Amino acid sequence: RCGCFQIKRSHEMGSLGGHVLPGSFFIFYGCWWVFISFWLQLTTSKSRKACSSSHTNSSISYAHFKRDIQLGRLTYIPQPFCIHIPFEPLLKIILSFIGVMVETFLSAGDGKIVAQAYVIYEEDGSFRSLSKLQHITMYSGFLLSGVVDLIGLVLRLPKNTTKLFFCLAFLVEGILFMFHADGRGDLNHRLHILLTYAIFSGVIFSGLRMLQTGNILINSGLGFSIILQGTWFIQVGVTLFGEQPWNEDDHKNISFIIACFTWHISSIMVTMFIFYIFLMACIRGSVKYRSKVRKRGIRFSWPILNNNQDNGEKDQLIEVEKEMEDLTRKITKETVT
């Protein structure tokens, strides 16, 4: 078909699923980075003073993370729950391993997904389409970064070693996709060039984290770049391998896709800004609530950070707090009498 769309397209160069899978991985991983970066910023002592100057020793502080886990030596920011479990390294390893397995043993063609092991060579000895190989290499870079993160928790590696491997994962991905669309249509090439912009922004932010680990702009910027990679991966898949693939030779499509990239950037930034305000309001509300409870003489603790307590202990704590509240009321009445 002429114009904006063309009906028929070979699946040798890739598939919609081959782009949605890594896109979903990056979106989920980027959202995690944004959340954990904002939480770090809003629960440090400096930020808590703006929320409540009279309660600088709030248990929602990240100070104990910095002391006990040495935030500066880690690639990742420890989560505010189950702090003894390396959630992010395990997340990188599991999702990357799934990606490698899917690309290696599943194949998409003619609208179907079949179990078929990936083979690099054709029967005549020539190379097959290497899109799958490049995707496997991309996943392997992040898998390696997750493994090094776990090793860094056991062994004392040189400073910034884990951060260097994380930066290397983005660098490998950027190099792969910089040349991923060589010899293809103009639209295909432009889509992947825009993808490399998002990837190399991740290289820059992950590299800057070697200098300043706790900087909110650097950490949230890294989360932004990861989400942008994810949304653009899906955009590439829908554009090239959707139900109605776009005509790669139409210059109007190329102009539109550039504008679409800026819409992705703006949408992600606005969403992050709204989420930051929402999270700040939740934390401020929590601090004010805890302040009111303390004024009544009740000992209050944040359940999400009490990782050493099981459900039974938490129930006992609630009962103790109720008893303390009743006791405080009795003492107050006797004093008045």
Side-chain angles (χ1 to χ4, degrees):
R1 179 188 290 182
C2 298
C4 211
F5 301 106
Q6 56 184 12
I7 296 291
K8 190 176 180 180
R9 183 178 183 85
S10 172
H11 291 275
E12 293 181 357
M13 294 188 294
S15 64
L16 177 60
H19 289 79
V20 171
L21 181 66
S24 302
F25 162 72
F26 282 117
I27 290 175
F28 181 79
Y29 187 49
C31 289
W32 171 256
W33 256 101
V34 169
F35 163 73
I36 212 69
S37 301
F38 288 170
W39 185 276
L40 173 65
Q41 170 68 14
L42 293 170
T43 56
T44 53
S45 58
K46 182 177 179 180
S47 298
R48 290 198 323 277
K49 289 180 181 179
C51 297
S52 176
S53 59
S54 61
H55 295 284
T56 55
N57 293 323
S58 171
S59 64
I60 62 174
S61 172
Y62 243 103
H64 63 287
F65 291 152
K66 293 182 179 179
R67 288 197 307 269
D68 298 341
I69 309 182
Q70 297 181 350
L71 180 62
R73 294 181 58 245
L74 300 177
T75 300
Y76 62 97
I77 302 173
Q79 68 277 2
F81 52 87
C82 302
I83 60 175
H84 300 294
I85 299 177
F87 181 79
E88 184 177 336
L90 293 176
L91 181 67
K92 280 194 288 188
I93 291 173
I94 292 172
L95 293 181
S96 299
F97 180 76
I98 292 174
V100 171
M101 292 297 101
V102 170
E103 292 289 349
T104 303
F105 297 106
L106 295 181
S107 179
D110 298 327
K112 298 180 180 179
I113 298 178
V114 296
Q116 181 180 0
Y118 174 66
V119 180
I120 298 179
Y121 298 102
E122 297 283 2
E123 295 180 356
D124 59 358
S126 61
F127 282 114
R128 284 191 174 185
S129 175
L130 299 181
S131 296
K132 275 184 170 291
L133 179 62
Q134 292 182 332
H135 289 176
I136 292 172
T137 305
M138 175 191 70
Y139 287 125
S140 300
F142 289 97
L143 178 63
L144 177 62
S145 174
V147 171
V148 174
D149 283 346
L150 294 182
I151 294 175
L153 295 175
V154 180
L155 304 178
R156 190 173 184 84
L157 301 176
K159 185 178 180 181
N160 293 326
T161 299
T162 56
K163 297 184 181 69
L164 179 62
F165 274 87
F166 193 39
C167 183
L168 179 64
F170 286 109
L171 182 61
V172 169
E173 181 192 5
I175 294 174
L176 287 173
F177 286 100
M178 180 184 295
F179 306 101
H180 190 69
D182 283 357
R184 303 183 186 177
D186 292 338
L187 178 62
N188 195 325
H189 182 73
R190 190 61 55 88
L191 283 165
H192 285 86
I193 288 297
L194 293 174
L195 177 61
T196 59
Y197 291 164
I199 295 173
F200 280 109
S201 67
V203 175
I204 294 173
F205 283 118
S206 59
L208 289 175
R209 292 195 73 250
M210 298 183 193
L211 304 177
Q212 290 189 349
T213 303
N215 187 287
I216 177 63
L217 296 180
I218 294 176
N219 289 330
S220 60
L222 178 58
F224 164 80
S225 67
I226 296 173
I227 295 175
L228 181 60
Q229 291 179 51
T231 60
W232 199 247
F233 257 113
I234 296 176
Q235 180 69 58
V236 172
V238 172
T239 302
L240 298 179
F241 308 104
E243 293 183 0
Q244 290 185 318
W246 295 23
N247 186 347
E248 296 188 18
D249 298 324
D250 191 340
H251 186 267
K252 294 179 181 179
N253 290 344
I254 299 175
S255 299
F256 178 83
I257 211 65
I258 295 174
C260 189
F261 184 74
T262 63
W263 298 340
H264 279 246
I265 294 174
S266 302
S267 299
I268 296 170
M269 289 293 292
V270 170
T271 303
M272 287 175 58
F273 180 71
I274 294 174
F275 177 70
Y276 182 85
I277 295 176
F278 170 77
L279 189 60
M280 181 173 61
C282 291
I283 292 176
R284 284 187 176 182
S286 174
V287 171
K288 290 179 181 179
Y289 175 72
R290 298 173 75 248
S291 175
K292 292 180 180 179
V293 173
R294 284 179 175 177
K295 289 180 180 179
R296 296 176 183 175
I298 304 173
R299 183 181 178 184
F300 183 84
S301 59
W302 190 297
I304 198 172
L305 294 179
N306 293 334
N307 301 292
N308 296 326
Q309 297 174 339
D310 56 20
N311 294 331
E313 292 176 338
K314 291 180 181 179
D315 293 338
Q316 293 177 4
L317 178 61
I318 293 174
E319 293 178 0
V320 171
E321 290 175 349
K322 290 180 179 179
E323 293 176 359
M324 291 179 63
E325 182 179 7
D326 295 337
L327 181 61
T328 302
R329 289 175 180 174
K330 291 180 180 179
I331 295 174
T332 303
K333 289 181 180 180
E334 292 176 359
T335 304
V336 172
T337 305

